[in-house]
Amino acid sequence: MKSPGWTAAQWLLCLLFWGIPEPEHCYLYNNRYAGDKVIRLVPETEGEAHVLKNICHQFKVSSCTTGGPMAAQQHLLCLGRNGYRCPYSPKWLSNPVSLLTTSQHPVHLGRRSRAYKRAVWIDCGIHAREWIGPAFCQWFVKEALQTYRSDPAMRKMLNHLYFYIMPVFNVDGYHFSWTNDRFWRKTRSRNSRFRCRGVDANRNWKVNWCDEGASFHPCDDTYCGPFPESEPEVKAVAHFLRKRRKHIRAYLSFHAYAQMLLYPYSYKYAKIPNFSCVESAAYNAVIALHSAYGVRYQHGPASSILYVSSGSSMDWAYKNGIPYAFAFELRDTGHFGFLLPESLIKPTCTETMLAVKNITMHLLKKCH
């Protein structure tokens, strides 16, 4: 029981130095996570959030997000020798993706009707361990092909827009998360000076590169890379988008987890010029998503409701002239985390599809 007057930060320090009993049943992924601990804390004040953030940096805690009490509703801190997020239970490690895809090129969908046609870019799996993302991209392609004739909304979308879908952005990292380390996040590029491999592909874009929320150290999960677009995956997609930026009107990137629909900016606290149009699209999208199973999503600027991060693909897309740039953080809020079970793939994809359709239909209307 919590003693009177003890803050969340004091309890974290107490647990760190006193120790926590080992869990009775701990899944060991080739013993990689042996001895790791999971602690969930909710800071109640800005001061506590600041203390926790400092502790996270000092002890190299994995996946510590402390953007203040509002953004810290479901923080999951993993404290262990390896610095990775801990698994919870063997039963939650059921295969969460029906098909392991290795596509390195975007799928191009849409009815060829005229030379100039607006387009939507969708990518999934920029972070290797976020398996529900690639599952959704596959779902989107399947639904587009199977429901074109029967669904008027889908038919309208494909008749009026092109869709470029990148099912697995970070192919090498994604494959590594299947074969070696389920909680791998980064790419798999080599570093000439360090044994640590990989770069956070969502910190590697040329927009306030390696500022707040990114790390210069190659062993960190948020390593920004030696220079912007150092990763071939990032460079290839950036080149593709730059060539088509006059046509691409929306950029949608799918991540996990938090149940949030985010829009720019990530790297600073500021209102985007077309805030009213983007906010309206996001609001209506989360309402549509909620209508399926009652799942609630927060929505708003990434820096305010999640955390500040620099060098993100969403900010880069917006800065490069794509007016509607969104990042989805799909289910859930931490109970399963990255280990979302197979039974939740279909409902997650079904509700997310409603949100994507809503955003897409918003593009076809004039925003006032």
Side-chain angles (χ1 to χ4, degrees), residues 262-291:
L262 310 172
Y263 53 80
Y265 297 103
S266 289
Y267 72 89
K268 65 178 179 179
Y269 298 104
K271 187 180 287 188
I272 55 178
N274 62 334
F275 170 80
S276 59
C277 288
V278 172
E279 165 64 20
S280 173
Y283 173 80
N284 289 322
V286 299
I287 293 296
L289 186 149
H290 178 263
S291 70

Side-chain angles (χ1 to χ4, degrees), residues 344-356:
L344 293 182
I345 293 176
K346 185 175 180 179
T348 301
C349 291
T350 300
E351 68 193 10
T352 305
M353 193 68 165
L354 295 177
V356 171

Side-chain angles (χ1 to χ4, degrees), residues 9 14 19 32 72 116 146 209 257 292 296-297 307 346 351:
C14 176
R32 188 181 301 276
Y116 174 81
Q146 291 183 354
W209 175 78
Y257 58 90
R296 297 191 179 277
Y297 270 52
Y307 47 66
K346 185 175 180 179
E351 68 193 10

Side-chain angles (χ1 to χ4, degrees), residues 62-112:
S62 173
S63 300
C64 180
T65 54
T66 52
M70 292 301 291
Q73 294 179 8
Q74 293 291 335
H75 293 324
L76 190 63
L77 312 183
C78 174
L79 311 176
R81 293 193 298 270
N82 302 300
Y84 293 103
R85 184 180 296 273
C86 305
Y88 313 117
S89 162
K91 67 181 180 180
W92 292 345
L93 277 154
S94 58
N95 183 351
V97 178
S98 303
L99 172 67
L100 174 61
T101 61
T102 56
S103 171
Q104 298 185 50
H105 305 285
V107 176
H108 183 189
L109 296 176
R111 184 177 180 182
R112 192 181 300 278

Side-chain angles (χ1 to χ4, degrees), residues 227-247:
F227 53 86
E229 296 183 25
S230 62
E231 303 310 282
E233 299 90 343
V234 174
K235 186 176 181 179
V237 172
H239 176 72
F240 184 94
L241 295 175
R242 270 193 293 261
K243 283 181 65 177
R244 296 163 179 81
R245 60 182 162 190
K246 289 184 179 179
H247 304 286

